[in-house]
Amino acid sequence: MGEKVTVSNTGDQGPADPRGGEKVTMDLQDQIMEEAKELARRASLYQSSLPPPLVTAKPLSDVAEEEVLEECNEAWRELGEFQNKLTLADIREVVQDSENPLAVLFARERALQAELSVQKNRTPKPLLANNEVLTCLGKQELQNTIKQLEMILSCVRARKKSLQEELEREQKWLEEQLELEKTVQERFDHQQQNFLVISKNSEIQKLKSRLEKVTNRKDELLSALGKFLDVHYPPPSEKDTQSKTVRSAAERDKGSANFITLHEILEHLITKAMKSPHDPYLELDDTFWPPFVEALLRYGVVLRHPDDPHRIRLEEFDQ
């Protein structure tokens, strides 16, 4: 059905040979059958997407063929008349001045405007009124459209397959990236925990080291202080308690047995200041030897209570 009926005779010749028309019809029918088979073969590949194949068109009847031949002869005759008119037309008015191309363009514009006016006023010639011929032409146009749609469908499916493969690659790459991100995040968390543990242990070790140094330094200072006090401020002897510095008879009778050393007095003051900083005063009793207390007051080591002279506290050297 894809071929158009051609006529070799012109409008001046006689009617066509019936045997020649029959031969043309048989050739056209064979060609239509071959195209229908090829269309069915290709349509079977896309049977799920395409409509059912068209029914093979029947050959045109003798009446329809005669009508088509008459239309062709008429068109050929009109074409010959137009050719004769163009041959006899006076074309000398067309400007061919190479030195004035603007005039040539104006002349062509006028010619095109005239042709446009003719085409607008021209009434288009209707198609053949024969339903058999119109059906044949419609089926031929439909088959051409189906072929084009088949090619488009093939391209679309190939593109779809390519996009699906690309999508699978992208999804695989995305999964790999997510797995890599998860691994890196887990490693980062582990390293961060180790860093925190190491930092914490490092700070603890530093504090322990500083505490040990401070403790050792305190022991050294206390040991040095004890030695200094033992040498320069020894415990009061019987002779010291009977000297003129002892002002009360009770103290002379008591002797040196119950007096505490200067070292012990300082320890009591330090302990009192550390344990109860809100009330660092120490109550003086008979165990405190007055010369030791006077010495501490004189050198600014201790202070008396402003309201009670029998209470002393350690001076705040850090203020």
Side-chain angles (χ1 to χ4, degrees):
M1 292 180 64
E3 294 294 328
K4 185 167 67 175
V5 178
T6 57
V7 181
S8 60
N9 57 347
T10 61
D12 297 333
Q13 294 178 350
D17 189 1
R19 290 177 297 176
E22 183 179 358
K23 182 178 180 182
V24 172
T25 304
M26 294 299 296
D27 294 340
L28 181 61
Q29 183 177 3
D30 294 340
Q31 187 174 0
I32 291 173
M33 291 296 295
E34 292 296 330
E35 291 183 358
K37 291 179 180 180
E38 180 66 19
L39 179 61
R41 185 186 66 80
R42 285 186 291 177
S44 62
L45 300 176
Y46 312 108
Q47 194 65 34
S48 60
S49 303
L50 295 178
L54 295 175
V55 180
T56 305
K58 297 180 180 180
L60 294 175
S61 62
D62 295 339
V63 177
E65 286 187 10
E66 289 294 335
E67 187 174 352
V68 172
L69 290 175
E70 289 178 2
E71 290 291 336
C72 292
N73 292 333
E74 182 66 21
W76 184 261
R77 185 182 61 78
E78 291 179 358
L79 182 62
E81 292 178 358
F82 291 149
Q83 182 67 31
N84 293 332
K85 289 180 180 180
L86 290 174
T87 303
L88 298 176
D90 187 7
I91 58 174
R92 289 177 296 177
E93 296 181 358
V94 179
V95 180
Q96 299 294 338
D97 190 0
S98 60
E99 296 181 357
N100 191 5
L102 187 59
V104 176
L105 294 177
F106 283 150
R108 291 180 180 177
E109 181 183 6
R110 288 192 297 272
L112 291 174
Q113 290 291 343
E115 184 178 355
L116 177 61
S117 177
V118 171
Q119 292 295 333
K120 285 182 178 180
N121 297 326
R122 177 176 174 270
T123 303
K125 186 178 180 180
L127 295 174
L128 297 174
N130 193 308
N131 293 331
E132 185 178 358
V133 177
L134 294 177
T135 303
C136 182
L137 293 175
K139 289 184 178 181
Q140 180 181 359
E141 185 67 22
L142 183 59
Q143 286 182 349
N144 293 334
T145 304
I146 290 175
K147 290 180 182 179
Q148 295 177 359
L149 292 176
E150 283 181 354
M151 291 188 292
I152 294 174
L153 179 61
S154 178
C155 295
V156 169
R157 289 189 171 180
R159 180 60 177 169
K160 178 182 177 182
K161 183 178 180 181
S162 176
L163 291 176
Q164 286 179 345
E165 294 176 354
E166 184 177 359
L167 178 61
E168 291 177 357
R169 290 195 300 269
E170 292 294 334
Q171 288 179 345
K172 184 177 180 181
W173 178 84
L174 178 60
E175 292 176 357
E176 293 177 354
Q177 294 298 319
L178 291 176
E179 186 67 23
L180 179 61
E181 181 183 2
K182 182 180 179 181
T183 303
V184 172
Q185 185 65 33
E186 291 177 354
R187 186 173 180 181
F188 173 76
D189 295 339
H190 181 68
Q191 293 294 336
Q192 190 174 14
Q193 292 177 359
N194 292 338
F195 175 76
L196 293 176
V197 172
I198 292 173
S199 300
K200 185 177 180 181
N201 293 336
S202 177
E203 292 296 330
I204 292 175
Q205 291 297 329
K206 288 180 180 180
L207 291 175
K208 287 183 178 180
S209 177
R210 292 177 60 184
L211 180 60
E212 184 178 359
K213 291 179 180 180
V214 170
T215 303
N216 294 334
R217 181 60 178 168
K218 183 195 71 172
D219 294 340
E220 292 176 359
L221 292 175
L222 290 177
S223 177
L225 179 61
K227 291 179 181 180
F228 175 80
L229 295 177
D230 290 340
V231 173
H232 298 282
Y233 295 94
S237 60
E238 187 70 23
K239 182 180 178 181
D240 294 332
T241 57
Q242 297 298 331
S243 65
K244 294 187 292 182
T245 57
V246 179
R247 299 176 182 178
S248 63
E251 292 176 354
R252 289 196 300 268
D253 296 337
K254 185 169 56 173
S256 62
N258 296 330
F259 289 122
I260 60 177
T261 62
L262 184 59
H263 191 185
E264 292 175 340
I265 294 174
L266 291 175
E267 286 183 357
H268 290 324
L269 289 170
I270 293 173
T271 303
K272 185 67 174 176
M274 294 295 295
K275 289 185 176 181
S276 57
H278 59 284
D279 185 18
Y281 288 95
L282 190 65
E283 188 74 25
L284 296 177
D285 54 17
D286 295 339
T287 59
F288 289 85
W289 194 37
F292 286 163
V293 177
E294 294 296 336
L296 294 175
L297 291 170
R298 183 170 59 252
Y299 293 113
V301 179
V302 298
L303 296 175
R304 288 187 184 274
H305 194 279
D307 299 329
D308 188 359
H310 296 287
R311 298 179 68 187
I312 60 174
R313 69 173 177 85
L314 191 67
E315 177 64 69
E316 296 179 358
F317 298 101
D318 56 342
Q319 296 296 327

